[in-house]
Amino acid sequence: MKTIQEQPLAFWAQPRARLAKLVTRLFLVFAIGLAVIPAPAEEARPQQQARGPQQQARGAIQYGITGHYRVGCWTAIRWLDAEKSSGIASDQAAVMETLDGDGMRAQYQQPPASEEHQFFYAIPGSEAAPLTILSGDQAVLTHRFPEQAKSPSRAPSAIPLGMPWIVSVGDSLGVETIGANEILNREAAVAVSKPRADEFPDAAVGYEGVDLIIISSDGHQILESLNGKQAEAIKHWLLGGGRIFITLGGQTQQLAASAPWIFDLLPLDRDSSTIRSMDPSAIETYTSSQQPLKNFDGLLLPRDRGRILISGRTARRVSTPLAAEYVVGLGRVTVIAADLHDPNFATWPDRLALVTRLIGSLLVPPDDNLMATNRATAFNDLAGQMRATLDQFPLKRKFGFSIVALILMALIAAIGPLDYLLINRVLGRPLLGWLTFPLAAIALSALLMFQSRPASADKSAVDTQSGGTDQLIRCNRMEVVDIDAIDNVGRGFAWSFLYSHPAARFDVSVDPGPPLDGITASDDSMVTAPFGYPGRAFGGIQMEGEDARFPSYRVTMDGGENTRGRLVDLSLAPRSSKSLATRFVFTPQLPAGLLMTRRSGSELLEGSLVNPFPFDLLDGMLIYRNLVYLLPTRFPAGGKIDSVDTLRQKNFRWQLSRQTALKKNKTESEQWDPSRFDRLQRVTEMLLFHTAVGGSRYTFLHDDPLAALDLSSLLVEDRCMLVGGLRESCTDLKLTLKGSQVDPSPISPGGQKHTLIRLIIPVEAKRLTP
């Protein structure tokens, strides 16, 4: 018989024993779970790269343009070696390693530098990303990309997304002061780079993050010092969608002699350019200025070309354009017939207002209040919605919070009340719990593993040892091809999301497909590289340093006439995806004589329309300014529509916003839903014509990382656009799986794909016959 003093000890001893038993069981379950979870595939396990001893750093690194760059964009890198007479390290720097947007180490392998090619190119995945220059397995030099400065114009810095980045050749015309306020201690809202001649990249990709290049007449000495590759880089960047603002006043002849390639692009004749004294009254009216200007010297611009922004007159009262905008390829050039660096304009208080208005919305800060109404998603950009749309795979099982909560409740019930009542109360055998509890944990783990299998998996697909791994790899792609039939320019962009259910390591290559081969005379470059970076634009989380679980992969680029870039040894963890982008440039080959006719005194097109492509166009449209002609669902290759008047016509903005007319002069539009990720075609359409539909006022989203795809500014008077979908992709993405037990032959992964092609066709006004 227990005494009174022993009873409290017995009362507390029993719960302590139960707690010890419960802790022991939980530890046993944890050990069993570690044994049950399968290890990653051998080929996907990270292996640290062997590195030799680091050499003593010498020389300096130039990043981007005067130290300015954008995260996630191709960035020019130049290694200056003080010990070499040429100033560049031409025989060592062939591989540059940095981190991509996922924190993985990416090595950009390129030919050695030379006097002709002095720059390397890489994509930093984050601000202040590390950069290592490799020579073989040896780290020659270790640096970091510059951090984001408080005022990017004053020091080397990363240019934040949404801040305009302007490269100035000569006088910057005061744009570096936009948004600055000394009283409020507010820095400028525009980043301006003023490079020397040797700081200009020698490839068009080096200008990927640049929004505008300002060329002032007093910068002709800098342009004259550029080598052929640097001038070609600016030219190709403009033709591929860039934008230039240029002043052509009294020093036009010097500028034409220094950079004749500029006048080759514009509808101007540099040999017979005429300079006249201009009346400034039109410019004063345009800016509502109260400060008068003196007469100035300017170039006579053609009256029948481009979009006239300011119409004025000479000192002899002859009508002439003073400012105009010309479409060049897929880019734009804004010209003003005046030397704005001249003291007559430099001291004029409204010069900056003139420049800002001529450039347009680029220098106008966005209205962030519009974005504040969208709180349904983690991103604030159309690129984020496209990323979420492409990252949807039927193989990937997603469980909601309710399912996870039920699983946890079932596990707690199994190790708690059920185990105690069944084993201790009903059977009366407490030691039996050491057997029933592990069996319940193993059964639940097996059930979860079975439910997480691919939705479409079968026996052959699950068996990776038998060569069925390719059935568990998917690729969703969005592809856009743009062709300008006037300047014979072609470009393309393909965004691919690779998904692998098991751990995998493979090489990625992208080659022209049959549709692209049928319209290409020559392909200049096709480079595939990682795409995307952390931040609100893509809805990602900021990565802190390197993801050491994965080995590095390589982005190889040859230096031949046709640049090719592919990924080597890319690793994917189980049930993970990777974002890649392919950018390609080509010279199109289309039938001659492509032309559309506009009715005189009207904005309607007339005449016939022929499909110039050797493939069918699906759900096509013919767009002219704000009017769209809806083509048949299938417009066959070489097919002809005798008269576009027979096609259904609609307001293009209404077509984009799905606006319909109701009774009593009322209309209804489809509200844009940023949280929908099941409409790949719809999101692609919005990316291609975001400005035409109203921009952020309609979608409540920014459009910064993929703004180059928006060709709304090309819907002008002398051009129309033929748009259609393709049944087959223009480029073929091939994967070569690596490992001892997989088939080494390349595979084409299945998945959701959407390809659009846009063709710019010239429009000519019909002449009235007397």
Side-chain angles (χ1 to χ4, degrees):
M1 181 175 180
K2 297 181 179 180
T3 62
I4 299 177
Q5 291 80 7
E6 293 175 342
Q7 289 181 359
L9 296 177
F11 177 79
W12 288 105
Q14 187 176 5
R16 291 179 180 177
R18 293 177 181 175
L19 180 60
K21 185 185 295 184
L22 180 61
V23 171
T24 305
R25 292 180 180 179
L26 289 176
F27 178 79
L28 181 60
V29 172
F30 179 75
I32 295 175
L34 292 179
V36 170
I37 297 177
E42 182 67 24
E43 60 270 17
R45 292 178 181 175
Q47 298 179 1
Q48 297 295 332
Q49 182 181 4
R51 298 282 176 84
Q54 183 173 336
Q55 294 182 353
Q56 183 179 0
R58 69 175 189 268
I61 297 291
Q62 289 184 356
Y63 295 97
I65 304 176
T66 65
H68 294 155
Y69 70 98
R70 284 197 195 274
V71 173
C73 295
W74 285 98
T75 301
I77 301 171
R78 189 163 177 249
W79 180 19
L80 300 179
D81 193 344
E83 298 182 3
K84 291 184 175 293
S85 59
S86 61
I88 59 172
S90 59
D91 56 350
Q92 296 185 19
V95 177
M96 294 201 171
E97 181 182 271
T98 186
L99 301 181
D100 64 9
D102 298 324
M104 296 178 61
R105 288 182 288 120
Q107 297 179 358
Y108 294 85
Q109 183 174 349
Q110 302 160 62
S114 62
E115 288 297 331
E116 188 177 14
H117 295 280
Q118 299 187 6
F119 291 87
F120 297 95
Y121 297 90
I123 302 177
S126 62
E127 175 191 344
L131 177 70
T132 304
I133 301 177
L134 303 176
S135 180
D137 292 337
Q138 190 176 44
V140 179
L141 195 62
T142 301
H143 270 250
R144 280 189 177 273
F145 286 85
E147 297 181 355
Q148 179 178 329
K150 183 179 180 181
S151 179
S153 295
R154 299 182 180 179
S157 168
I159 307 299
L161 195 65
M163 173 179 284
W165 182 13
I166 297 176
V167 174
S168 174
V169 183
D171 194 339
S172 60
L173 308 180
V175 295
E176 70 276 6
T177 63
I178 294 178
N181 191 311
E182 296 182 359
I183 298 178
L184 299 178
N185 194 22
R186 187 171 58 192
E187 298 293 343
V190 177
V192 178
S193 302
K194 299 180 180 180
R196 302 187 309 268
D198 60 342
E199 294 178 319
F200 284 86
D202 54 14
V205 294
Y207 298 91
E208 184 181 347
V210 176
D211 296 304
L212 177 71
I213 294 180
I214 294 179
I215 300 179
S216 184
S217 300
D218 64 336
H220 60 86
Q221 294 181 351
I222 297 178
L223 295 175
E224 187 177 6
S225 302
L226 299 180
N227 60 39
K229 292 296 181 181
Q230 291 173 315
E232 285 292 320
I234 299 178
K235 177 181 176 181
H236 290 311
W237 170 77
L238 173 63
L239 292 172
R243 189 176 179 188
I244 290 179
F245 180 87
I246 185 171
T247 63
L248 297 178
Q251 299 185 22
T252 301
Q253 295 294 347
Q254 295 92 321
L255 189 63
S258 303
W261 52 271
I262 296 179
F263 287 79
D264 293 338
L265 298 174
L266 298 176
L268 305 173
D269 188 358
R270 66 175 183 271
D271 297 328
S272 60
S273 56
T274 305
I275 306 297
R276 291 287 186 268
S277 178
M278 302 292 181
D279 183 359
S281 58
I283 294 180
E284 296 169 358
T285 304
Y286 184 76
T287 57
S288 301
S289 176
Q290 302 298 322
Q291 299 294 330
L293 282 168
K294 299 178 182 179
N295 287 1
F296 58 91
D297 293 336
L299 179 68
L300 286 180
L301 301 178
R303 303 178 185 178
D304 56 345
R305 299 295 301 273
R307 182 170 67 96
I308 298 177
L309 302 177
I310 303 178
S311 180
R313 57 189 179 182
T314 66
R316 296 185 177 183
R317 307 185 68 85
V318 178
S319 178
T320 181
L322 296 182
E325 183 178 82
Y326 305 103
V327 176
V328 180
L330 302 174
R332 291 179 291 163
V333 178
T334 303
V335 177
I336 181 169
D339 289 331
L340 298 185
H341 69 279
D342 188 81
N344 185 26
F345 285 95
T347 58
W348 187 46
D350 293 310
R351 184 183 70 161
L352 183 57
L354 171 64
V355 175
T356 303
R357 187 171 178 186
L358 288 175
I359 293 176
S361 60
L362 174 63
L363 301 181
V364 178
D367 188 0
D368 293 332
N369 294 328
L370 293 174
M371 314 305 161
T373 59
N374 175 32
R375 303 182 183 274
T377 60
F379 52 82
N380 63 351
D381 197 283
L382 276 172
Q385 187 170 5
M386 176 58 75
R387 181 204 62 80
T389 303
L390 291 175
D391 201 13
Q392 304 290 322
F393 298 93
L395 296 178
K396 188 191 303 183
R397 288 296 184 88
K398 293 186 177 181
F399 299 95
F401 176 77
S402 58
I403 302 298
V404 177
L406 289 176
I407 294 174
L408 293 177
M409 291 175 62
L411 182 61
I412 293 174
I415 66 175
L418 292 180
D419 181 71
Y420 176 77
L421 293 175
L422 180 64
I423 302 303
N424 291 275
R425 293 296 186 182
V426 178
L427 299 180
R429 297 178 178 272
L431 294 179
L432 192 60
W434 292 99
L435 178 62
T436 59
F437 181 70
L439 290 178
I442 294 174
L444 182 60
S445 301
L447 177 63
L448 295 178
M449 292 178 61
F450 178 77
Q451 289 296 326
S452 65
R453 75 191 192 285
S456 59
D458 52 15
K459 184 177 180 180
S460 62
V462 176
D463 186 9
T464 60
Q465 306 293 334
S466 62
T469 310
D470 58 307
Q471 302 184 30
L472 299 178
I473 298 177
R474 292 290 183 268
C475 178
N476 292 339
R477 303 189 76 206
M478 179 274 293
E479 187 179 60
V480 179
V481 179
D482 298 318
I483 300 175
D484 178 61
I486 303 174
D487 293 304
N488 206 35
V489 177
R491 73 171 188 185
F493 175 82
W495 190 356
S496 307
F497 254 85
L498 290 177
Y499 171 79
S500 177
H501 202 73
R505 182 167 59 91
F506 40 74
D507 298 342
V508 182
S509 62
V510 179
D511 299 311
L516 190 60
D517 286 335
I519 59 175
T520 303
S522 65
D523 50 330
D524 301 329
S525 66
M526 184 172 290
V527 179
T528 302
F531 183 64
Y533 42 89
R536 286 211 62 193
F538 291 91
I541 301 175
Q542 184 70 36
M543 303 296 296
E544 294 293 341
E546 176 187 346
D547 191 342
R549 298 173 299 173
F550 296 95
S552 62
Y553 63 93
R554 300 193 306 277
V555 181
T556 62
M557 291 179 288
D558 57 45
E561 182 179 355
N562 299 329
T563 305
R564 284 287 181 272
R566 65 191 188 99
L567 275 68
V568 180
D569 293 336
L570 178 65
S571 300
L572 285 183
R575 299 168 180 83
S576 65
S577 57
K578 187 71 174 180
S579 172
L580 306 175
T582 302
R583 296 172 175 85
F584 50 98
V585 180
F586 60 95
T587 302
Q589 186 177 13
L590 296 174
L594 290 178
L595 181 68
M596 294 298 299
T597 305
R598 175 175 59 89
R599 293 180 184 177
S600 180
S602 173
E603 293 189 358
L604 299 177
L605 300 178
E606 65 178 9
S608 61
L609 175 65
V610 178
N611 181 4
F613 300 115
F615 43 78
D616 299 345
L617 293 180
L618 308 178
D619 299 323
M621 299 181 295
L622 179 64
I623 309 169
Y624 180 62
R625 306 193 74 171
N626 195 37
L627 186 65
V628 58
Y629 298 83
L630 302 180
L631 303 181
T633 304
R634 175 178 169 270
F635 193 15
K640 182 179 181 180
I641 297 176
D642 295 330
S643 177
V644 294
D645 291 336
T646 61
L647 298 175
R648 181 187 173 192
Q649 304 171 15
K650 194 173 182 180
N651 184 290
F652 184 45
R653 185 168 182 174
W654 285 26
Q655 173 69 15
L656 293 173
S657 61
R658 302 297 188 263
Q659 187 170 347
T660 56
L662 304 176
K663 297 180 179 179
K664 297 182 180 179
N665 297 326
K666 294 183 179 180
T667 59
E668 182 180 8
S669 300
E670 178 187 278
Q671 186 176 2
W672 185 256
D673 187 0
S675 61
R676 290 198 60 176
F677 309 135
D678 57 346
R679 300 188 298 177
L680 178 58
Q681 298 183 11
R682 185 82 171 99
V683 180
T684 303
E685 181 185 60
M686 195 57 55
L687 277 169
L688 302 187
F689 301 102
H690 188 238
T691 304
V693 76
S696 301
R697 295 187 177 276
Y698 175 68
T699 61
F700 297 102
L701 294 173
H702 293 290
D703 183 20
D704 291 324
L706 297 177
L709 298 179
D710 187 358
L711 296 185
S712 301
S713 59
L714 270 61
L715 299 176
V716 293
E717 185 176 0
D718 58 348
R719 282 166 169 79
C720 65
M721 191 179 300
L722 178 63
V723 184
L726 276 66
R727 182 176 287 107
E728 188 177 0
S729 298
C730 287
T731 56
D732 294 332
L733 186 143
K734 300 288 187 181
L735 302 179
T736 303
L737 297 174
K738 293 194 172 182
S740 59
Q741 298 177 337
V742 297
D743 187 358
S745 59
I747 62 174
S748 298
Q752 188 179 9
K753 297 178 176 63
H754 181 53
T755 300
L756 273 178
I757 190 168
R758 295 183 289 188
L759 174 63
I760 310 298
I761 303 176
V763 175
E764 187 179 76
K766 183 179 180 180
R767 296 181 180 179
L768 296 177
T769 57

